[in-house]
């Protein structure tokens, strides 16, 4: 279908694009500390860990302890993606808090990643989902690789 160019629509779109709310990327840039706190909540993961007798203290040792838990969550396929997302955000929070120069970054599509001082980006949510579903890579292994660079 051949749609004719309508100049006033182009001007209208440009004018209204400026009025739209800022995207997630802008929030990351404007309040990185607030975003870091929000991403570190990981309520479902913390609840599951507490049920297993593990308190998550935002340290690399807690990642190793998570790796040792029996994966009872795999019995609930509806829980897996949510828990995996939380595991990835928790992993990212630990990296950002303990690896010098690591920061949260968001891709234009909205996926949060951790950017290391070297410029390398870690797709922590993807790593958390893989950990929740398959058990690999271990969260502590991803952290170890991030802390080496």
């Amino acid at each position: 279908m051949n749609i004719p160019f309508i100049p006033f629509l182009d001007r209208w779109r440009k004018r209204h694009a400026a009025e739209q709310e800022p995207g997630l990327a802008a929030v990351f840039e404007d309040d990185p500390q607030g975003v870091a706190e929000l991403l570190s909540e990981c309520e479902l993961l913390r609840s599951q860990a507490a049920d297993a007798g593990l308190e998550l203290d935002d340290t690399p040792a807690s990642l190793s302890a998570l790796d040792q838990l029996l994966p009872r969550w795999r019995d609930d396929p509806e829980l897996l993606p949510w828990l995996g997302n939380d595991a990835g955000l928790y992993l990212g929070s630990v990296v950002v808090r303990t690896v010098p120069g690591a920061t949260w970054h968001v891709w234009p599509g909205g996926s949060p990643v951790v950017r290391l001082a070297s410029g390398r980006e870690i797709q922590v949510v993807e790593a958390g989902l893989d950990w929740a579903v398959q058990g690999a890579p271990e969260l502590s292994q991803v952290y170890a690789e991030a802390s080496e660079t």
Side-chain angles (χ1 to χ4, degrees):
M1 180 175 184
N2 192 6
I3 300 174
F5 176 69
I6 305 173
F8 77 87
L9 284 178
D10 192 41
R11 287 190 301 274
W12 180 87
R13 263 192 245 132
K14 286 179 184 176
R15 189 174 66 240
H16 286 83
E19 297 171 4
Q20 291 179 350
E21 291 183 28
L24 186 57
V27 174
F28 269 70
E29 293 172 12
D30 292 344
D31 186 12
Q33 185 65 28
V35 170
E37 288 178 27
L38 179 65
L39 294 177
S40 70
E41 287 182 8
C42 311
E43 193 173 314
L44 178 61
L45 180 69
R46 291 181 189 277
S47 171
Q48 292 284 318
D51 288 349
L54 173 63
E55 182 180 343
L56 300 180
D57 59 2
D58 300 337
T59 63
S62 66
L63 295 172
S64 296
L66 279 170
D67 289 336
Q68 302 306 313
L69 290 180
L70 290 174
R72 291 190 168 94
W73 56 83
R74 290 191 190 134
D75 295 336
D76 186 349
E78 291 183 20
L79 184 66
L80 276 175
W82 297 103
L83 187 74
N85 188 68
D86 270 14
L89 295 177
Y90 182 73
L91 167 64
S93 296
V94 173
V95 171
V96 167
R97 289 179 183 190
T98 60
V99 176
T103 59
W104 283 106
H105 179 72
V106 65
W107 286 351
S111 179
V113 297
V114 171
R115 182 176 287 162
L116 302 175
S118 66
R120 180 175 160 234
E121 291 182 345
I122 302 171
Q123 297 178 3
V124 291
V125 172
E126 185 177 303
L129 289 168
D130 288 345
W131 173 81
V133 174
Q134 303 165 5
E138 291 184 336
L139 300 175
S140 59
Q141 176 186 353
V142 176
Y143 176 83
E145 291 171 5
S147 64
E148 290 174 359
T149 56

